Structure formats: C-alpha cells, structure tokens
DNA sequence: TGATCGCATTCTGTCGACAATCGACAGAAT
DNA sequence: ATTCTGTCGATTGTCGACAGAATGCGATCA
C-alpha cells in the first residue's frame, strides 16, 4: 500500500456530518435511543458537543436511509417500523441478494472473501448478538462480491431497517451457531457449483429457501 | 443577478430544502447545468435567492440519490455516469420492476391506472421528450401499483440516474410513438393474463425482453 | 365545571459570519 | 531549468443567532 514504508496512516478527519450520522445510526441500531421519542437536533448537537447544522444534515441523511422519519409536526423520530413492513423489506432484500448471486455466477467471481465471514460465524464463544452480526456480514459479503456500488448502498440501508424492525419486536430468532455455519456454508457451496455449471438457478433457489426460513417472506418467490 | 441564464426560480414557500432539491434536480435532468462543472453552493444559493444552508442539505440529498457526487472535502459535481454504469443501473431497474410485477400478480392489483399512461403515450403530436417521459411514466406507474413505498423511492432514484446517463451520451433511442404504445400495451396485457392465470413468469419474460431491447442489459437474465 | 382563547416557552427553519482547508501561483533554492 | 516552499484567493465546513410555527399552560368566560 501507499504508506507501507513509513507506517503512517492517511489522515482523514471525517466531517462532523459523517460522524454525527455514524453515531446516531449506531445509537438507533443499538437501541440506545428511545424508539418513539422525538430526535431533537439541539439535544443531539449538545450531546455531541457540536452545532446543530451537521446534526440536521445527518438527520436528513438518516431519513433517506430509512432509519428516521419526520412526523407530522415535523420533528424527527426513529422510524416506527412494524411487522407490517417486514414483507416489503424482506422482499427487497431477497431481490437484491438474487441480483448479487446472478452477477457473481455470471462473472465467476472468486468466493474466497466469504471464508472469513464463515469463520467468524463459527468461532466459538460468541454472543447471540455477535452471531447475528456475523450472519449479516456473510450476506453483506456476498452482495459486495457483485461489485455493484449502488446495490451495496441500498442493501446496507435495507439491512439497517430490518435490524431496526427486529430490535423493535425483538424477535431475534437466530439459531445456534453450528447450524448457521452449516447453512451458510451450504449457500457458498451452492454459489460455487452454480459458477462451475453456469446455471444460477439452484443457487437462487437455495437463497430463497434460506431467507424464507429466516423470516416470513411473502410467497412471492415460488413461481420462479 | 437574475436567474434568467439558468432558469431557476426564486423560492417562496414549502421547505427551502425540498424546493432547492427539486430545482437542482430538474436542472440536472434537463441538462441546464453543465455536466462536468462543479456545483458551488454559494452560487446556487445566490441564484435561488436563499442562503447556503438549505442548498447544502439539498446537495447532500442529491448525493444520496445518485445524481450528484462530491470529492472529499471538495465541491459537488454532477455525477459523471458513463456507459460503464449502464449495466448496473439497468440490472437494478429490471430487478425492481420484476419485484413490482410479481407483487402485482400475486395481489391481483387492478391495472386501470396504467390506461392513463398508455393514453398519454399514444396521444398524437408529442415531442420526443414527452414520449420519453410518458414511457418512463408507464413504468413508474407499474412500480407504483405494487404499493411498496421503499421500492418506489429507490426506483425513482434509479430512473433519475438512468436519465442522466442518457442525457450525457444522448443516445435517446425512443422509437416511434405508435410502436411504443403497442409494446407497452402488450406489457399491460401480459400483466393481466398473468394475474388471471396466477403465473407471473410470462409477464416477467415480457418485461425482460422489453427492457433488453430498450438498452443493453447484461445477459444476466436469460438463465431465468 | 368544562371549553376556548391567549400567552409563554420550545423547537425548527433559515441566515449571515467566522474558521479551516484546498488549489494555484510565485519566488527561492538547488 | 527544475523542484521545493511559502503565501494567497477561493470555497467549503461549522457556528451562533434570529424569526416563524407549534405546543403546552393558564386564565377567562359560558
């Protein structure tokens, strides 16, 4: 890399907007911020020790990414995603992952980056939260393999919203670690055989089945 | 300085951010704003007669919607979407429209709203630009029929970006009005028969063929 | 006692100004 | 002549403050 000789790191002071975005986002996804209560920019700004302007821009970005919405009296609050929103979110996520699978199969992308995610998924002594994170990381890695930046961006937004729904209804139903490793390894193998054979359909079927058992996806998919 | 050169209007009400977003967006999509030149918030603010803050927030929103990009700590500029970006954009658009088609077929949504779009497409004496708009409106109407707000939002962003690409390379290859009416009527009929039979596959195939002939979509789709 | 109007407080939207940073240019040193 | 360095103008990032709107409370009247 560029700075390998000196060990210097590239200095990039992220803008306050990016920093505020990041902090508010993790605050929401960790459940630290109360679900229904309004998000007041002045309060957030004071808590972060910055002015309101960057916070306001960050809130707008969070709104576009779906984690935050403006209520009628025009104050921001965390999106109250309910079980009613699950079908749409799950459908869109499945659609995006299928796009990724197809692209990967068509371009015969190397699958090595998935091994790291699989390993993290199977490492012993991980909390349920870490297991869920590793699960999400595997799917995100698959999507990333497609090399489509816009797909990546919108997929990240989707997973954030889904995580918010799960947080609200706390119906975290991640199975045991071992069975998860088994299932995701099967997914990778399906991808590999699809690449070898050139036919993505079996991999797509495996993906549908996988996401179907993860959460109730509408029966949109069987006709395929 | 009046806004005669750019066609911007002085903003009066609503939210200045929304208004600025709207005006800059149409300015980009109409080609009024130079493609490569930087978008300076001070200049835009002055042209619209408002301060820089709303403009900056609008530019950030435009960045997330893909029409504008910013180099680190430097000025915004219109995204230089090239022909290299067409495969991803077209793939994502097709994926989204297929999601809509599947949802419509499964829920047996009434197709009446499409007739208005078809009529506009076939009304005589329309310019090539209006024909293109009516074409896009038909597809947007189909997506809207699915009733999925997030799908709608991201589809709108996609079509904006695609329009920007077409604007840059001006390879507008809209056929004659009559043949377009014919093709889109066929799409609606395919949708209808799919709803009646309960099998979305023929409609999906019709959609793939339609979008394939519209612009070079990668061969992602034939395995379906 | 209950409802409605008015006032005060709080919050959001917007603005002008200051500070920080970047690219370019010119001058100096090799 | 070329390269490095110091400075300057331009532009972005951030801030504190003001104005309008909304909310809540209290007083007054039916």
């Amino acid at each position: 890399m560029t700075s390998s000789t000196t060990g210097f790191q590239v200095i990039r002071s992220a803008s306050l907007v990016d920093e505020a975005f990041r902090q508010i986002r993790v605050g929401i996804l960790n459940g630290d911020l109360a679900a229904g209560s309004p998000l007041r920019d002045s309060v957030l700004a004071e808590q972060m020790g910055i002015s309101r302007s960057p916070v306001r821009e960050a809130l707008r970005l969070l709104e576009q990414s779906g984690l935050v919405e403006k209520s009628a009296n025009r104050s921001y609050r965390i999106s109250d995603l309910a079980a009613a929103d699950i079908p749409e979110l799950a459908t869109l996520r499945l659609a995006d992952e299928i796009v990724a699978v197809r692209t990967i199969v068509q371009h015969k992308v190397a699958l090595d980056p998935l091994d790291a995610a699989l390993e993290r998924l199977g490492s012993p002594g991980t909390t349920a939260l870490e297991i869920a994170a590793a699960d999400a990381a595997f799917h995100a890695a698959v999507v990333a393999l497609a090399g489509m930046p816009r797909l990546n961006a919108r997929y990240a937004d989707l997973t954030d919203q889904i995580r918010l729904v799960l947080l609200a209804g706390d119906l975290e139903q991640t199975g045991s670690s071992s069975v998860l490793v088994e299932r995701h390894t099967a997914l990778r193998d399906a991808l590999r055989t699809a690449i070898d054979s050139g036919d993505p359909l079996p991999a797509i079927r495996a993906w549908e089945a996988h996401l179907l058992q993860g959460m109730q996806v509408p029966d949109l998919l069987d006709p395929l």
Side-chain angles (χ1 to χ4, degrees), chain A residues 101-181:
Chain A
V101 167
R102 279 201 176 131
T103 307
I104 290 170
V105 170
Q106 197 195 16
H107 291 12
K108 299 190 185 304
V109 179
L111 302 181
D112 311 275
L114 300 183
D115 294 337
L118 282 178
E119 202 159 335
R120 270 187 35 202
L121 195 56
S123 63
T126 51
T127 71
L129 203 67
E130 287 171 333
I131 290 179
D135 187 338
F138 174 85
H139 288 269
V142 171
V143 173
L145 280 184
M148 301 165 81
R150 296 163 192 87
L151 177 68
N152 263 297
R154 77 190 209 180
Y155 181 79
D157 286 346
L158 273 182
T159 49
D160 276 357
Q161 293 179 61
I162 290 173
R163 185 161 163 197
L164 182 56
V165 178
L166 297 182
L167 191 70
D170 63 15
L171 35 105
E172 306 262 9
Q173 51 166 343
T174 58
S176 72
S177 172
S178 60
V179 64
L180 282 185
V181 172

Side-chain angles (χ1 to χ4, degrees), chain A residues 26-153:
Chain A
V26 305
I28 292 176
L29 293 181
N30 283 351
D32 299 335
L33 292 169
S37 59
L39 293 171
R40 309 213 177 284
D41 51 13
S42 57
V43 177
L44 294 171
E46 195 179 8
Q47 285 177 341
M48 299 184 192
I50 61 177
S51 132
R52 283 175 50 214
S53 310
V55 176
R56 288 177 57 79
E57 297 189 24
L59 284 176
R60 253 180 217 283
L61 294 181
L62 284 165
E63 182 188 15
Q64 265 215 347
S65 77
L67 285 184
V68 154
E69 58 190 8
K70 260 205 269 219
S71 54
N73 47 2
R74 79 172 186 260
S75 74
Y76 285 102
R77 66 154 186 248
I78 300 178
S79 300
D80 56 344
L81 298 174
D85 296 297
I86 290 185
E88 175 172 6
L89 293 172
T91 300
L92 295 180
R93 177 168 81 139
L94 176 58
D96 283 351
E97 294 202 20
I98 287 180
V99 169
V101 167
R102 279 201 176 131
T103 307
I104 290 170
V105 170
Q106 197 195 16
H107 291 12
K108 299 190 185 304
V109 179
L111 302 181
D112 311 275
L114 300 183
D115 294 337
L118 282 178
E119 202 159 335
R120 270 187 35 202
L121 195 56
S123 63
T126 51
T127 71
L129 203 67
E130 287 171 333
I131 290 179
D135 187 338
F138 174 85
H139 288 269
V142 171
V143 173
L145 280 184
M148 301 165 81
R150 296 163 192 87
L151 177 68
N152 263 297

Side-chain angles (χ1 to χ4, degrees), chain A residues 11 87 110 116 130 162 183 213:
Chain A
I11 298 178
E130 287 171 333
I162 290 173
R183 283 177 181 165
Q213 76 190 355

